[in-house]
């Protein structure tokens, strides 16, 4: 069987696929090239760059598996793939630690002005007085929206920092962590810090918009290492300008790369930014490669056995 890998895979993952006897093609393709090539493959492995649309799925006449090395599936038409009996796979746990650590990095660095002081000192300035009113995280309340794999890892680290943690997740009824489950409105009301770990769903729309900002404490700190679109960026910028939100940490944006208009937010003096690198650690990439390869091998082998049991 033939597997197309468009956004790369770690050697450990590729070795698993080769060891299982599959033929690999690794190349970057634009949308038209993908449409022309996909019919020759039984499976495709992507990351976030490649879009597996309805047209791609229709052109993939031999596709059995679509695999995404990562958590989100927003670049894949999952419903249509399932309608065509194509299995869709992802790696929801492999990058959880890395994303959680970046979340904590933004959270910690904002309270001690690290992004701002780096910029200022490189201009040969000494902003000791300007950045003298730091904020400790100890004893503060962190609100986590989305208590899945990543949200749980964030909670563990926040508890280790002696923070109080509350969480809102309509799909979680109980937890073994020392975390209080609350309504979204209560979380917005009591949290000193808020971090989001939910997918962006077009049908649901953004998780945080103007009305939500109005319910937050004055001077709240907001972190988004989840997905662009879960926070309305214009409303966040307004909240920063009124100091309803004191600081924001952003790893994801509505458009990636960002549009010129989005740089009003990125260049804001009280915002810490990173270019969607939550899962971009050596350890996470290796785990992603291994996990997705193992899942693809299992799925393709199962589909072959199923074919063998179907009467001719």
């Amino acid at each position: 069987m033939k597997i197309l890998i468009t956004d790369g895979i770690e050697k450990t993952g590729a070795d698993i696929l080769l060891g299982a006897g599959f033929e690999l093609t690794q190349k970057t393709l634009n949308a038209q090239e993908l449409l022309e090539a996909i019919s020759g493959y039984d499976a495709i492995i992507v990351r976030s760059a490649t879009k597996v649309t309805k047209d791609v799925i229709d052109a993939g006449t031999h596709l059995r598996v679509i695999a995404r090395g990562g958590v989100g599936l927003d670049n894949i038409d999952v419903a249509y793939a399932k309608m065509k009996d194509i299995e869709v796979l992802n790696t929801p746990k492999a990058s959880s630690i890395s994303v959680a650590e970046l979340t904590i990095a933004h959270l910690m660095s904002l309270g001690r002005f690290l992004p701002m002081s780096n910029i200022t000192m490189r201009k040969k300035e000494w902003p000791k007085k300007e950045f003298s009113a730091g904020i400790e995280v100890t004893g503060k309340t962190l609100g986590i929206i989305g208590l899945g794999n990543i949200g749980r890892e964030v909670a563990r680290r926040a508890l280790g920092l002696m923070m109080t943690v509350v969480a809102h997740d309509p799909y979680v009824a109980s937890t073994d962590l020392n975390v209080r489950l609350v309504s979204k409105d209560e979380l917005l009301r009591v949290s000193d810090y808020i971090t989001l770990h939910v997918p962006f769903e077009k049908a649901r729309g953004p998780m945080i918009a103007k009305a939500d900002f109005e319910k937050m404490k004055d001077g709240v700190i907001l972190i988004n290492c989840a997905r662009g679109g879960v926070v309305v960026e214009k409303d966040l910028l307004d909240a920063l300008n009124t100091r309803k939100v004191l600081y924001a940490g952003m790893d994801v944006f509505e458009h990636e790369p960002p549009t010129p208009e989005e740089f009003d937010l990125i260049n804001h003096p009280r915002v810490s930014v990173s270019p969607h690198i939550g899962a971009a650690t050596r350890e996470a990439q290796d785990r992603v490669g291994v996990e997705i390869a193992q899942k693809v091998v299992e799925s393709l082998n199962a589909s072959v056995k199923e074919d063998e049991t179907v009467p001719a």
Side-chain angles (χ1 to χ4, degrees):
M1 287 193 177
K2 296 182 178 181
I3 300 174
L4 176 62
I5 302 170
T6 59
D7 301 329
I9 190 171
E10 292 297 301
K11 185 178 183 301
T12 47
D15 287 345
I16 290 171
L17 295 169
L18 291 170
F22 299 122
E23 180 182 331
L24 306 187
T25 299
Q26 296 197 54
K27 61 169 66 174
T28 301
L29 302 172
N30 63 34
Q32 184 58 40
E33 291 169 338
L34 180 60
L35 280 172
E36 294 170 358
I38 193 63
S39 63
Y41 296 93
D42 302 281
I44 181 172
I45 299 176
V46 304
R47 295 298 302 270
S48 58
T50 300
K51 312 299 181 188
V52 186
T53 63
K54 177 179 180 293
D55 289 342
V56 171
I57 293 168
D58 282 337
T61 51
H62 294 91
L63 272 182
R64 298 167 182 253
V65 175
I66 300 169
R68 158 80 157 93
V71 179
L73 292 168
D74 43 302
N75 58 321
I76 298 170
D77 192 330
V78 177
Y80 191 68
K82 290 181 177 179
M83 191 178 78
K84 302 272 285 189
D85 293 324
I86 299 170
E87 187 167 15
V88 179
L89 307 171
N90 67 338
T91 58
K93 295 183 179 179
S95 60
S96 298
I97 290 172
S98 295
V99 178
E101 288 186 356
L102 182 65
T103 299
I104 297 296
H106 275 291
L107 183 151
M108 295 286 288
S109 67
L110 283 165
R112 299 310 300 271
F113 311 110
L114 297 187
M116 305 80 168
S117 60
N118 268 269
I119 294 170
T120 306
M121 289 185 68
R122 286 171 184 170
K123 297 176 182 177
K124 299 182 180 180
E125 298 178 20
W126 184 247
K128 185 175 176 65
K129 289 185 178 180
E130 182 181 352
F131 298 143
S132 62
I135 302 170
E136 293 182 354
V137 300
T138 300
K140 301 299 191 302
T141 297
L142 173 65
I144 301 175
I145 298 178
L147 199 62
N149 294 314
I150 296 171
R152 286 175 60 84
E153 293 295 342
V154 172
R156 289 190 179 99
R157 284 150 183 78
L159 291 167
L161 292 168
M162 302 182 70
M163 300 184 79
T164 297
V165 181
V166 298
H168 170 70
D169 192 320
Y171 303 104
V172 175
S174 62
T175 177
D176 57 342
L177 298 171
N178 186 23
V179 172
R180 186 165 62 93
L181 297 175
V182 298
S183 68
K184 179 183 171 183
D185 280 356
E186 183 175 354
L187 182 147
L188 298 177
R189 180 174 55 82
V190 304
S191 298
D192 302 297
Y193 294 79
I194 295 173
T195 179
L196 297 104
H197 300 287
V198 293
F200 175 69
E201 299 174 2
K202 288 184 179 179
R204 182 182 63 190
M207 180 62 68
I208 299 293
K210 181 179 180 180
D212 302 295
F213 285 114
E214 292 172 352
K215 297 173 184 177
M216 296 177 188
K217 283 185 177 183
D218 291 341
V220 70
I221 295 174
L222 181 77
I223 312 293
N224 183 13
C225 291
R227 278 289 183 270
V230 300
V231 176
V232 177
E233 292 174 358
K234 180 184 179 300
D235 295 342
L236 172 57
L237 183 60
D238 290 343
L240 282 160
N241 287 335
T242 62
R243 290 188 172 261
K244 166 61 79 169
V245 174
L246 187 58
Y247 303 112
M250 303 285 290
D251 183 53
V252 292
F253 301 88
E254 290 180 13
H255 304 95
E256 296 181 0
T259 62
E261 292 77 13
E262 285 174 293
F263 278 90
D264 287 343
L265 176 61
I266 291 169
N267 288 328
H268 195 282
R270 288 182 279 109
V271 171
S272 171
V273 293
S274 52
H276 202 155
I277 55 171
T281 64
R282 297 172 184 175
E283 295 86 353
Q285 295 307 301
D286 192 60
R287 287 193 297 267
V288 166
V290 169
E291 185 177 337
I292 202 64
Q294 290 172 337
K295 287 186 173 183
V296 169
V297 169
E298 181 181 348
S299 180
L300 287 178
N301 285 341
S303 70
V304 169
K305 289 180 181 178
E306 186 176 323
D307 287 349
E308 291 171 350
T309 60
V310 175

